[in-house]
Amino acid sequence: QVQLVESGGGSVQAGGSLRLSCAASRYTSSERVSMAWFRQAPGKEREGVAAIGAFGTLSYADSVKGRFTISQDNAKNTLYLQMNSLKPEDTAMYYCAEDPKWYYVLRPASAYRYWGQGTQVTVSS
């Protein structure tokens, strides 16, 4: 059983920055965990943004490469997403996801078992 709670969303102007956090509460220990950030804009499908997988491998969607950075603090069971140079098209609900498997790349949303409730990011031009 895993609970994920996102925070850090908000409203910023284009070019600004935000840092999202995802606090994970795991009731069973698992050595194999892959975590990711997804986003979903109104009327659009949920899309992967960034992921941390096996052996700390990182992967990003092409649309955010060079602007977003995913990281984690294992001691705090917290996943982060640093978002810089934000664009209006980054506006979406952002979700944290986790699966008790080792992935090496960002997988489709259907691959992740646990999800947070999301945090809204709004970027104005």
Side-chain angles (χ1 to χ4, degrees), residues 15-118:
S17 299
L18 284 173
R19 187 194 195 202
L20 305 184
S21 299
C22 171
S25 299
R26 302 185 181 96
Y27 299 98
T28 59
S29 63
S30 174
E31 294 183 354
R32 297 194 175 198
V33 174
S34 294
M35 299 192 74
W37 287 99
F38 285 77
R39 66 186 182 187
Q40 188 167 18
K44 295 188 176 181
E45 293 187 355
R46 191 168 296 188
E47 63 171 349
V49 175
I52 289 183
F55 307 107
T57 56
L58 307 180
S59 55
Y60 296 92
D62 288 342
S63 59
V64 306
K65 281 181 181 177
R67 300 188 298 120
F68 290 11
T69 303
I70 189 171
S71 62
Q72 63 183 10
D73 184 333
N74 290 328
K76 296 181 179 180
N77 285 334
T78 301
L79 182 74
Y80 301 99
L81 184 68
Q82 178 66 46
M83 305 185 295
N84 298 328
S85 302
L86 283 162
K87 304 175 181 179
E89 51 263 44
D90 294 319
T91 295
M93 185 71 78
Y94 283 71
Y95 298 91
C96 173
E98 178 177 308
D99 198 68
K101 296 184 182 68
W102 274 351
Y103 300 138
Y104 292 90
V105 296
L106 178 61
R107 299 290 304 275
S110 59
Y112 295 87
R113 180 181 303 182
Y114 303 107
W115 292 83
Q117 293 190 334

